Amino acid sequence: MSLADYLAKNYLTADSKPEKKSKKRKRKDGSQPGLVITDDDALGWTPKAKEGDDEDAPLNVTSTSAEFRKTKKNNWQTIGVPAPSSADQAAADAIIASAAAETSARNDADEDAPVVDDTGAKMESGAHAGLQSADQVTAQLKRKQEAERKRFLSDTAEQSGQGKETIYRDASGRIINIAMKRAEARKKAEEEAAAAAAQIEAQKGDVQRAERAKRKEALKDAKFMPVARFADDVEMNEELKERDRWNDPAAQFLTKKKGGKSVTGKPLYSGAFMPNRYGIRPGHRWDGVDRGNGFEKEYFAARNRRRDLKQLEHDWQMDE
C-alpha cells in the first residue's frame, strides 16, 4: 500500500452525509464537488486511483468543508504518550520547559554575540590590534570592563587602598611630606605676620610706644586700686606735682627738679627753642640754629592773627 493510499484511508475518511429533506430542492450525495486541491508535488490525500487513470495525472482531493465540519465522529488519532494528569508531573514539566527556554535564550545570545579571539596582541583599551568590526571591538571593551569590575569588587580594603592617606609627589617623582609642608607653610605665614607687625611698629615713634606701655601699666595697676580716691592719695598727688603748668606761680618754689631725661630715657635740651605744633623739644645735642623753612613761625603768626581779629570784633560789638 502506498503512502497516499494509507493517508487517504486513515485520515480522509468522512461519514456519508445523511440526506435531508429540503423544501426547495433535493441534492444527491456528491452531486457537487467540494474542495479540490491539485498540486504536482502532492504526496497523497487522494482516493485510490481507478483503473485506467493516468498515473502522471494530478491527484485530486474531493471533499466538502461543510461535511467535514458537521461530522460527529472524531477522526483525530493520538500519537505518542498522553499528557500527564497529575499536578506534580505538570509542575515538573513546567520547570523543565522554563529551563529549556533559559538555555535556548542563552544559546541565542551567545550565537548573536560576535566571536572574540583572545589570541594576538591587545591594546591598552582591551581591544585587539588590527582590522575588526565595531561589534567585536565593543564586545572586547565590554569584557575588559566586566573583568575590571569583578576584580575591583573582589579586592580587599588593603589591596584597593581604601582609607589610606593620599600620596603626593613633586615634578621629579619624589614623595611630598604633607605634614612637613603644612608646618613650613604655617611657620612662613607666622613669620610674614610678625614682619608686617614689626614694620607697622617701626613706623611709630618712641614716645608713642612709651605712652602705650605706660597706659598698659596703668590699666594693670587699676585692677588693685580702690574705687574711691581721696585727697591724701600719695600716687595721685605725685602725679599732679609732676605736671607742668605755664601759669603756675609756685613752680619756682619747688625744690625738687625734674630729671633732665625724656620719656625715652634720653637727655632733654635745656635752652630756649622755637615752639612747634606738636610740642616736641629739640635733642640735647642741638646747637640752637633753626634750619627749618619758617613754616612753623608763619603757622603760629597766622593763628595768633586770626585769634586777635576775632577778639577785636567781639570787643567792638560789646562797645556798641
Side-chain angles (χ1 to χ4, degrees):
M1 181 183 294
S2 63
L3 179 60
D5 297 338
Y6 175 77
L7 294 176
K9 178 181 179 181
N10 294 291
Y11 295 97
L12 295 180
T13 301
D15 297 337
S16 60
K17 182 179 179 182
E19 296 183 359
K20 294 183 179 179
K21 295 181 179 181
S22 176
K23 296 180 179 180
K24 295 183 179 179
R25 63 179 179 177
K26 295 182 180 180
R27 293 183 297 177
K28 293 183 179 180
D29 187 11
S31 60
Q32 293 183 0
L35 179 63
V36 178
I37 300 176
T38 302
D39 192 354
D40 295 339
D41 298 333
L43 299 178
W45 302 91
T46 55
K48 187 176 180 181
K50 297 180 180 180
E51 296 180 359
D53 292 342
D54 189 3
E55 295 181 356
D56 297 334
L59 299 176
N60 298 331
V61 178
T62 304
S63 178
T64 58
S65 60
E67 293 176 358
F68 185 77
R69 285 196 303 269
K70 292 179 180 180
T71 181
K72 296 181 179 180
K73 184 179 179 181
N74 186 6
N75 296 327
W76 297 100
Q77 294 182 1
T78 303
I79 299 175
V81 181
S85 58
S86 62
D88 296 339
Q89 186 67 24
D93 293 344
I95 294 173
I96 294 173
S98 62
E102 292 178 359
T103 305
S104 178
R106 192 182 304 109
N107 294 334
D108 294 343
D110 295 340
E111 291 177 359
D112 295 339
V115 179
V116 179
D117 187 10
D118 291 337
T119 60
K122 287 187 177 181
M123 296 184 292
E124 185 178 0
S125 61
H128 289 281
L131 183 63
Q132 50 192 329
S133 63
D135 295 338
Q136 292 177 345
V137 175
T138 304
Q140 293 168 6
L141 297 178
K142 187 175 180 181
R143 288 182 60 185
K144 183 180 180 182
Q145 292 175 359
E146 290 293 335
E148 291 179 353
R149 183 173 178 274
K150 291 180 180 179
R151 182 178 57 81
F152 177 76
L153 294 176
S154 62
D155 288 345
T156 60
E158 184 178 358
Q159 293 176 349
S160 61
Q162 185 177 4
K164 294 184 178 181
E165 186 178 358
T166 305
I167 297 176
Y168 298 92
R169 298 180 183 273
D170 57 5
S172 61
R174 293 178 296 180
I175 298 177
I176 300 174
N177 192 344
I178 302 300
M180 186 181 297
K181 288 293 183 180
R182 289 175 180 172
E184 292 178 357
R186 184 164 51 252
K187 184 178 180 181
K188 184 178 180 181
E190 292 176 356
E191 291 178 355
E192 291 179 355
Q199 185 178 2
I200 295 174
E201 189 70 19
Q203 295 175 358
K204 299 178 182 179
D206 296 338
V207 178
Q208 284 80 8
R209 286 196 292 270
E211 289 179 354
R212 186 176 61 181
K214 188 176 180 180
R215 285 195 300 269
K216 287 184 179 180
E217 291 294 334
L219 290 174
K220 191 179 295 183
D221 296 339
K223 297 179 181 179
F224 309 100
M225 290 175 59
V227 179
R229 303 183 69 179
F230 301 96
D232 57 349
D233 191 344
V234 179
E235 293 183 0
M236 184 177 64
N237 291 332
E238 290 295 333
E239 183 181 355
L240 294 175
K241 286 179 182 180
E242 290 179 359
R243 291 182 183 178
D244 292 335
R245 297 173 181 83
W246 64 274
N247 56 352
D248 187 4
Q252 57 184 343
F253 301 108
L254 295 175
T255 57
K256 184 179 179 181
K257 299 294 184 181
K258 297 174 60 178
K261 291 185 178 181
S262 64
V263 178
T264 59
K266 296 179 181 179
L268 294 174
Y269 182 76
S270 58
F273 60 91
M274 199 69 179
N276 53 69
R277 290 171 290 170
Y278 308 104
I280 300 175
R281 298 171 62 90
H284 65 285
R285 300 179 185 277
W286 187 47
D287 56 358
V289 179
D290 186 6
R291 294 177 176 83
N293 56 4
F295 177 78
E296 298 292 336
K297 183 178 180 180
E298 294 293 336
Y299 171 77
F300 282 106
R303 190 178 67 172
N304 295 337
R305 183 168 55 254
R306 186 167 57 253
R307 185 179 58 185
D308 293 342
L309 291 175
K310 186 176 181 181
Q311 185 65 30
L312 287 174
E313 290 178 0
H314 179 267
D315 295 342
W316 289 341
Q317 290 177 3
M318 295 300 293
D319 291 342
E320 294 176 356

